[in-house]
């Protein structure tokens, strides 16, 4: 074989070998494979885990799928139909309170109100919280101003109605049932009542010693 023929052979072999990766890529683009794709940099993308219905030696009953803890109630399936949880008794809104109203309860209500309600309704309940101020500044056309508590309408709402507004929201207001426990919702109701009274007091609400100090 002449040197020339050898070089020609060598070039042909190099060309064929160089075509292999290209051919493999072309093949994998048109064929399907049940195998996971090549994934050299793992970054914890794949971790050991159990699939449903598998078994393990870790638990005495060898079940991977653990039974719910006794007493577990599926979300939304707990039957709570008493006044404390719904604000409704015998089909009517509760007008009093299903728990004792103490100073501690109102203080708790004040704290929860300041966190959850004041951003919209304002510290004094006029519907002028910071969120409302900002929405007005941005002239948001879809913004509905939070209701002021200081109208006869809201003053005359039964306590249970306000409790229900906090739990489930009302019209454009979102519910806070997932953020405040029933106890805290009643605490907020009591504080909303305190706010209303603070802005709508009569002379009879003023202790006598302060009345006498008037000129
Ligand atoms: C994201 C802003 C926002 C927050 C936070 C918010 N509200 Fe409201 N609230 C509104 C708006 C808006 C309305 C008026 C809804 C409408 O008329 O569409 C409203 C209405 C009300 C009303 C009047 C409902 C009626 O009977 O007409 C009450 C009472 C009330 N909110 C209490 C609360 C209490 C208590 C909290 C805190 C737990 C709270 N809101 C938190 C926005 C808010």
């Amino acid at each position: 074989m002449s040197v020339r023929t050898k070089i020609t052979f060598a070039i042909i072999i190099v060309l064929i070998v160089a075509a292999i990766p290209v051919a493999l890529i072309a093949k994998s683009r048109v064929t399907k494979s049940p195998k996971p794709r090549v994934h050299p940099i793992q970054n914890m993308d794949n971790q050991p885990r159990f699939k449903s219905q598998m078994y393990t030696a870790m638990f005495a009953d060898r079940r991977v799928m653990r039974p719910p803890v006794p007493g577990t109630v599926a979300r939304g399936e707990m039957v709570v139909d008493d006044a404390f949880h719904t604000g409704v008794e015998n089909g009517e809104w509760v007008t009093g309170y299903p728990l004792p109203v103490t100073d501690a309860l109102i203080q708790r209500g004040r704290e929860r109100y300041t966190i959850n309600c004041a951003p919209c309704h304002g510290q004094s309940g006029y519907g002028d919280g910071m969120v409302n101020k900002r929405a007005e500044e941005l002239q948001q056309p879809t913004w509905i101003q939070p209701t002021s508590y200081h109208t006869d309408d809201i003053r005359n709402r039964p306590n249970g109605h306000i409790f229900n507004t906090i739990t489930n929201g009302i019209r454009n207001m979102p519910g806070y049932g997932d953020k405040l426990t029933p106890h805290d919702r009643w605490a907020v109701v009591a504080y909303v009542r305190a706010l209303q009274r603070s802005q709508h007091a009569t002379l009879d609400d003023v202790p006598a010693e302060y009345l006498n100090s008037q000129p």
Side-chain angles (χ1 to χ4, degrees):
M1 226 193 283
S2 71
V3 173
R4 204 186 163 125
T5 329
K6 279 183 186 161
I7 292 176
T8 316
F9 265 122
I11 290 176
I12 290 173
I13 287 169
V14 165
L15 282 180
I16 290 174
V17 170
I20 291 175
V22 179
L24 284 180
I25 291 172
K27 174 177 174 280
S28 50
R29 284 187 69 94
V30 291
T31 53
K32 290 188 176 148
S33 159
K35 284 191 222 142
R37 57 178 71 209
V38 183
H39 194 149
I41 300 172
Q42 280 292 320
N43 280 338
M44 295 174 76
D45 289 338
N46 295 299
Q47 297 178 46
R49 69 169 198 277
F50 291 120
K51 291 189 174 160
S52 49
Q53 313 288 358
M54 286 173 87
Y55 67 89
T56 171
M58 190 158 67
F59 298 109
D61 63 6
R62 310 193 82 199
R63 283 196 267 179
V64 156
M65 298 169 72
R66 304 310 302 154
V69 175
T72 304
V73 180
R75 203 180 168 120
E77 289 193 0
M78 189 157 64
V79 181
V80 276
D81 51 6
D82 56 328
F84 180 72
H85 289 96
T86 60
V88 177
E89 194 160 43
N90 305 324
E92 304 269 332
W93 294 118
V94 174
T95 49
Y97 291 88
L99 75 178
V101 179
T102 59
D103 199 33
L105 187 81
I106 298 181
Q107 287 304 329
R108 173 76 182 164
R110 176 188 195 156
E111 191 223 17
R112 293 292 108 184
Y113 177 89
T114 309
I115 294 169
N116 294 283
C117 322
C120 286
H121 286 276
Q123 300 272 358
S124 320
Y126 282 97
D128 57 353
M130 292 311 279
V131 173
N132 183 65
K133 290 208 168 82
R134 180 70 177 145
E136 282 180 350
E137 200 176 282
L138 296 175
Q139 304 194 332
Q140 288 285 330
T142 50
W143 179 249
I144 304 281
Q145 184 175 3
T147 313
S148 166
Y149 304 145
H150 309 300
T151 61
D152 282 341
D153 254 6
I154 306 301
R155 277 192 285 262
N156 294 333
R157 294 260 197 267
N159 287 351
H161 188 280
I162 300 202
F163 178 86
N164 181 68
T165 298
I166 303 174
T167 310
N168 299 311
I170 192 165
R171 301 183 298 273
N172 290 284
M173 176 184 142
Y176 283 79
D178 56 344
K179 299 178 187 66
L180 299 169
T181 62
H183 174 274
D184 283 350
R185 278 174 254 155
W186 284 112
V188 171
V189 171
Y191 185 65
V192 167
R193 290 308 188 206
L195 280 180
Q196 288 179 323
R197 199 154 165 208
S198 75
Q199 305 299 304
H200 194 62
T202 63
L203 273 187
D204 294 340
D205 292 315
V206 184
E209 68 257 39
Y210 294 106
L211 274 182
N212 293 340
S213 67
Q214 296 290 313

